[in-house]
Amino acid sequence: MTRGVLIAGNRSSLSAAVEAETAKRVERFALALISNRLPGSAESAGWGGPDNEARIPLTWNPGSPVSARTLVIAAENRLGRINEAILICAPPSVRRAVAELSPEEIEILVNDHIKGWFYLVKELAAVFRARRTGSLALVFSEAGPGGGRDDAADLLGPAALAAFRTFSQSVLAAALNEPYLTMGFSSSEPGAETAFAAFILKQLDEGNKRNNGRQHKFGKLNLFGRL
């Protein structure tokens, strides 16, 4: 039986690359994307390729703990079980003066791009711990969408990314006490999403327990870097 893979995260070129690499390895996988509810935000380009027959699209409301539990149950029901979960933080950017931010936008930032990761990791960890097996990959790219010299500062992307990075470090630090495999992956190489995705899936394929709790930093000159 093919292994069950759940991919969750922001709509981005990195998500698309991970999806394409996963489709090379499994018959079916589950995909849950965070809807972009922020007015005036810019999502990364690179999405919108042909439909993938292996993809099982699932609904996820990141700000709801009930939705996180429902997502995990739905993925298990459709896949048989979740063997690997790949969580990808590649947040959209919002470029405007801070005084122009609305309370709604701030709430969306916290719920969808910060709080949601805590809920989902909690649910996945509970499943993997009870089963005493599984792989959790926490993925982010530091090569976010760039702006022009005269553009306003990005008020969303860096804040969401910093929160995810810090959360990942804490999860990795606690991983040695868990019976499942947890790995972190980061890249600062712009335009290298395909190679980065292949690197992530290769590490998951190997499932080396010695990598538990380690942060892997991808780079074209150091394909097997780790922190």
Side-chain angles (χ1 to χ4, degrees), residues 28-32 52-58 78-79:
R28 305 184 78 193
F29 62 90
L31 177 70
N52 194 321
E53 294 182 356
R55 180 198 305 144
I56 302 172
L58 297 176
R78 298 294 299 275
L79 297 170

Side-chain angles (χ1 to χ4, degrees), residues 98-170:
V98 66
E100 297 173 2
L101 277 178
S102 69
E104 177 188 10
E105 289 173 317
I106 296 171
E107 185 175 7
I108 291 172
L109 162 64
V110 174
N111 285 339
D112 290 7
H113 301 285
I114 297 177
K115 187 192 298 183
W117 297 119
F118 285 76
Y119 291 146
L120 186 54
V121 169
K122 174 187 180 300
E123 294 300 328
L124 290 167
V127 169
F128 290 159
R129 177 184 284 181
R131 194 174 291 150
R132 301 194 65 78
T133 187
S135 296
L136 175 64
L138 303 168
V139 181
F140 63 90
S141 173
E142 300 190 73
R149 184 173 59 181
D150 298 327
D151 289 345
D154 181 2
L155 297 177
L156 170 61
L161 187 62
F164 185 84
R165 183 192 299 111
T166 302
F167 177 53
S168 297
Q169 290 171 350
S170 298

